[in-house]
Amino acid sequence: MGPNFTKELLTEIPNARGIWAAMSQAPGLQMTGFDVGGSNTGNQTGYRSYGMDGQNQTRMEGIDTTEGTAANAGYFDFGSFEEFQVGGAGSDASAFAGGAVLTISVKSGGDRFTGSWYSDYVSESQLTDNVPDFLRTANTPDDDGFFSRNGLCFQRLGETVCRGNAVKKQYDLNGDVGGPLWKQKAWFFTSWRLNDKYAYITGLGDTTEQSKLSNKYTFKGTFQVGRSNQFIGFLNKREKLQDKRGFNNTTIPLSAAYYQSSRNYPFKGEWTSVLGSRAFLDVLAGNWYNFFPLRPVRDFGLYDGPWTPPRIDTATSVRSATGGNNGYQDQKRYKPQVYVNMSYFQDGLLGSHDFKFGYDWKRDRRQFFRDQPFDIHYRDLRGAANELELYTSPNTSINDVVYNAGFISDNWKITNRLTFNLGLRFEHYV
């Protein structure tokens, strides 16, 4: 129903060092796009499992980092992965949603010092030109009737250049080290990653957009207390810079593009305890901060032309060449969470039973700041003013959800060929 990608597998199979690129090779998952050599860096790829594309969940080191009901805020420190599992079906009652479940585990330090380094680089001189003839010229159908409304060819220094959203340059740097703080008792692991891409924007000549993904730090500490107890601490800082978000040559001019400089932090403290030969206890207290601003590019010196109220032609979705946008925001999200799980194994009751009992508590609080520099947005129809949106900005709204859940599950193995996955879950939202 779903594979387990170990660090060895992630190192040896061809992939673009992105979680969505690896997921495209998983059975039971259908991706909405493909990442070729990192070409989709800075963009999430949608996916569905067994026909369902909502309610997907992501757990990083046991921390719920799901944004909304299916998205995943932040980009990952790929080299820090010990393994990740993705399941499209067959999840037990500990899962808090019905879609695909993505579970990521980070490496831990050991009793000897180890480290690794990864780097790659690509430039436009390494890219080939394989643009089909029918895409080179605007409105030129191929034999099946497909065509592009914008030809991909333009003149540069007297030379004809044809390309889509081609990479100008991109590099990925990723290093980690781990080892003992106190042998057989305490260990550490830390990692760092920078993935920076500059890509040409289709139809805009030599204009490029930057997508810079940083994992400023990944820390994990593991502490053994006696033979049966272990404490784990984890902290990760992830950042994204996209300097011209949404800018294109058809509907959104530079004046209406967004400047995104977002960051988020998953962190936790965890206690695990072995309670005899059949029982295991796990208690996790964590949090996830997510800060996601979309600001005017004008504020960052990327646009210095005329600055007018935003307007859009609803017949074509084309925005004014000098107007701003109507979606500026500064979103802050906080998700404190606690999970208590106990596993118990019992053999001999018409087969073997792997029982699991658990309690989940979460609070998902979103503070959503909105502002509109002109407090007005024009909605034209075929070049003439048709509607107006009036604002009283700035303002901030609060969404606050408190969530409690309890569950019991039994993985009942009757024979080598027959297993029942039984579960009961109760959830309560306010």
Side-chain angles (χ1 to χ4, degrees), residues 17 76-77 117-120 170-175 192-197 210-216 239:
R17 302 194 83 243
F76 297 95
D77 184 351
W117 178 263
Y118 174 92
S119 57
D120 65 45
Q170 180 175 354
Y171 55 90
D172 187 357
L173 311 175
N174 202 174
W192 169 87
R193 185 186 186 190
L194 172 62
N195 190 1
D196 202 1
K197 181 183 77 170
Q210 182 184 17
S211 292
K212 180 182 179 182
L213 310 178
S214 308
N215 276 262
K216 290 297 183 68
E239 296 181 341

Side-chain angles (χ1 to χ4, degrees), residues 46-103:
Y47 58 95
R48 62 174 55 91
S49 60
Y50 300 96
M52 187 174 184
D53 59 4
Q55 300 296 326
N56 298 325
Q57 58 183 279
T58 301
R59 297 183 182 184
M60 185 172 188
E61 277 292 307
I63 308 161
D64 176 18
T65 61
T66 311
E67 182 178 22
T69 60
N72 198 316
Y75 295 82
F76 297 95
D77 184 351
F78 195 81
S80 72
F81 290 176
E82 176 70 26
E83 64 181 18
F84 78 84
Q85 300 171 330
V86 57
S91 300
D92 64 19
S94 64
F96 45 80
V101 180
L102 176 62
T103 304

